[in-house]
Amino acid sequence: MRHRLHVSAAALVAASLLLAGCGGGDEETPASDPSSSAPSSAETSAPPEPVFWPLTGLERTGKAPQHPVVVTKVDNTPSSSPQIGLGSADMVVEELVEGGYTRLAAFYYSKVPVTVGPVRSMRASDISIVPEGATVVTSGAAQITINRINAAGIPWITEGAAGVFRDNTRSAPYNLFAHLADISKRLKADGEPADYLPWGDEADLPKGGKATSLTADFGAHSTTWQFQGGRYVNTDSYAAQDDQFPADSVLVLRVKVGDAGYKDPAGYPVPETKFEGTGAALLFHGGRVVKGTWSKDGLTGQIELSTKAGELTVPAGHTWVELVPAVNGEVSFSK
């Protein structure tokens, strides 16, 4: 975990003087020259505290971006192939939509690609997924969802706004894309975002058990990962080979799913992920898996992870989060 003890040189000098004053004997200590005992600027100056990216936990060397986190809703069916822009995301959250399929919430902050898509619609589930202060790029949503998103105070951008366009070489509705780099320049951040996950160092991670492959099954769709070359490769990704998300970790959270209260145009009931409360967690990193528990106080609470031994942190890096239904969803892994 990122807890560091910093002691200034001035504090060390003061401590040494105190110890000297507490020494035994009646010998008088001669007065010292104040100019010679004063700490130099080199002694009192300390390196600045490191700062970290909120969506990866990696150390940041420059200034924070002027734009907020931009979350783009991306289609995740064969019709989306090839997905564009996933390779530049800081983090991706995969969530259930109607019919047992999934949709992606791709998070951008430290790096913003030129183009992202295909862009699809929001769900009420996004209220508990999108971090405070972020803006969502979407193809819209059902009116009942828009009402809830607006009530939650989440700003969103859709077709008709500058930077959102149709690619006429693709078929609708899988042809909506966003010039994310241009869009982000017009957005203003209201402070720096909080950490999305509890970040830590790889050395903090419990040993766990060996697991070099895993599959998250949502019903009609499953996502499979293989640990290769120090990272996790999505072997059934719809992204172009050179534009896949560079996953250092895969975090599987088992979640409750309810009914959003309406049906999609095809007549399927729309599910709503209940990303609050508590549930089982599986953290895959370095070819191993650590079993634990996640908790979240309300829809907008911070995500906390733990094992029986105590707090669990995610090694800094790019993380793909699978929100797999606790009922009607499955997670399997193998050595």
Side-chain angles (χ1 to χ4, degrees):
M1 296 170 5
R2 301 189 188 285
H3 301 299
R4 301 285 187 267
L5 179 63
H6 296 279
V7 181
S8 68
L12 291 174
V13 170
S16 64
L17 291 174
L18 179 62
L19 289 174
C22 294
D26 298 326
E27 206 172 314
E28 186 175 339
T29 303
S32 60
D33 181 358
S35 62
S36 64
S37 62
S40 68
S41 59
E43 291 175 318
T44 58
S45 63
E49 290 285 339
V51 290
F52 302 93
W53 290 106
L55 302 180
T56 63
L58 296 170
E59 187 171 350
R60 192 187 82 209
T61 55
K63 294 182 179 180
Q66 296 298 306
H67 60 79
V69 173
V70 183
V71 179
T72 305
K73 296 306 299 292
V74 179
D75 188 80
N76 198 41
T77 66
S79 299
S80 68
S81 182
Q83 296 162 329
I84 296 176
L86 289 187
S88 300
D90 285 329
M91 176 185 296
V92 174
V93 176
E94 183 171 9
E95 60 183 293
L96 179 72
V97 292
E98 52 274 18
Y101 291 95
T102 65
R103 192 152 294 172
L104 307 180
F107 291 54
Y108 300 92
Y109 187 59
S110 68
K111 184 178 180 181
V112 179
V114 174
T115 306
V116 176
V119 177
R120 297 302 304 276
S121 58
M122 300 178 290
R123 295 291 182 274
S125 304
D126 295 320
I127 295 172
S128 60
I129 294 172
V130 175
E132 183 179 359
T135 294
V136 180
V137 177
T138 172
S139 65
Q143 190 59 50
I144 186 174
T145 299
I146 289 176
N147 293 343
R148 292 183 62 185
I149 294 288
N150 289 342
I154 300 174
W156 50 281
I157 296 170
T158 190
E159 189 171 11
V164 184
F165 67 98
R166 294 280 176 180
D167 180 352
N168 294 328
T169 66
R170 300 201 188 198
S171 300
Y174 310 101
N175 63 346
L176 189 67
F177 288 81
H179 286 313
L180 216 59
D182 292 339
I183 291 172
S184 67
K185 292 176 183 177
R186 294 189 291 272
L187 302 174
K188 297 300 180 182
D190 184 16
E192 294 189 35
D195 287 346
Y196 194 83
L197 292 171
W199 302 112
D201 298 317
E202 190 173 41
D204 300 327
L205 200 64
K207 184 177 180 180
K210 189 173 182 181
T212 58
S213 66
L214 69 129
T215 298
D217 190 344
F218 291 81
H221 172 83
S222 61
T223 299
T224 299
W225 298 91
Q226 186 75 39
F227 185 65
Q228 299 176 2
R231 281 184 168 172
Y232 290 85
V233 177
N234 182 186
T235 58
D236 47 12
S237 172
Y238 300 121
Q241 186 63 35
D242 60 350
D243 202 12
Q244 291 196 21
F245 180 75
D248 296 299
S249 302
V250 178
L251 177 61
V252 179
L253 306 178
R254 305 304 300 271
V255 295
K256 296 178 181 179
V257 177
D259 191 333
Y262 66 99
K263 296 181 179 180
D264 74 353
Y268 290 103
V270 176
E272 180 181 351
T273 294
K274 305 290 186 179
F275 193 23
E276 60 179 328
T278 186
L282 294 169
L283 174 57
F284 295 86
H285 180 84
R288 308 190 72 82
V289 59
V290 176
K291 297 181 180 181
T293 302
W294 67 269
S295 62
K296 191 165 177 280
D297 185 11
L299 296 178
T300 59
Q302 290 294 113
I303 300 169
E304 297 181 357
L305 302 171
S306 63
T307 65
K308 292 180 179 179
E311 182 184 7
L312 174 64
T313 58
V314 180
H318 292 80
T319 304
W320 183 292
V321 181
E322 303 276 17
L323 298 182
V324 181
V327 178
N328 299 326
E330 296 290 341
V331 180
S332 59
F333 55 89
S334 61
K335 296 180 180 181

